[in-house]
Amino acid sequence: EVLLVESGGGSAQAGGSLRLACQASGFSFGGSDVGWYRQAPGNECEKVSTLTNGGSPYYSDSVKGRFTISQDNAKNTVYLLMNNLAPDDTAVYYCAADWRLVTPATKKHPCYLHSRAYWGNGTLVTIST
């Protein structure tokens, strides 16, 4: 069974930093495409940052210059370092890996339209002014 478990969420003040981690079991991040997504209250799921195997990282315009995605294959963990946080960053953050067309199983996830094979259950980030 593949499990992706996010950690590192919590509350912070605007301008602060948090580092999210996503550890996988039953699956190796090495050689895989990985990503971070988020869903703010009342909003659709948004792609935040992705890292493709051998490619350059992608960042959405809203986080570019503030967030950094990285991967430690020895620990089978993907990270999202978030600096200069703002209240608009408040959301549930999900990590994801690999690609798969939407299936009844993946359709249960709030971000299923992004066609990822594996999703974590999310970690809540709350930023206050």
Side-chain angles (χ1 to χ4, degrees):
E1 181 186 12
V2 174
L3 287 177
L4 304 183
V5 180
E6 301 96 337
S7 61
S11 299
Q13 289 193 323
S17 299
L18 288 172
R19 189 179 77 157
L20 306 183
C22 174
Q23 187 163 35
S25 59
F27 178 83
S28 175
F29 280 136
S32 301
D33 292 352
V34 298
W36 287 94
Y37 299 75
R38 69 184 181 186
Q39 186 175 35
N43 288 3
E44 293 184 353
C45 189
E46 171 193 9
K47 181 169 64 175
V48 175
S49 179
T50 60
L51 191 60
T52 59
N53 183 29
S56 298
Y58 160 86
Y59 299 98
S60 68
D61 287 342
S62 60
V63 308
K64 197 174 296 182
R66 300 187 298 123
F67 290 12
T68 304
I69 189 171
S70 61
Q71 184 172 336
D72 185 336
N73 290 337
K75 295 182 178 179
N76 209 23
T77 300
V78 176
Y79 301 96
L80 185 69
L81 175 61
M82 307 185 296
N83 293 323
N84 194 19
L85 285 160
D88 284 350
D89 295 318
T90 294
V92 177
Y93 285 73
Y94 301 96
C95 73
D98 265 1
W99 301 98
R100 181 182 297 165
L101 293 177
V102 175
T103 66
T106 61
K107 204 171 184 178
K108 298 175 184 178
H109 197 277
C111 297
Y112 76 93
L113 286 175
H114 291 274
S115 299
R116 290 293 198 162
Y118 307 111
W119 291 98
N121 286 330
T123 185
L124 177 63
V125 171
T126 304
I127 308 302
S128 58
T129 56

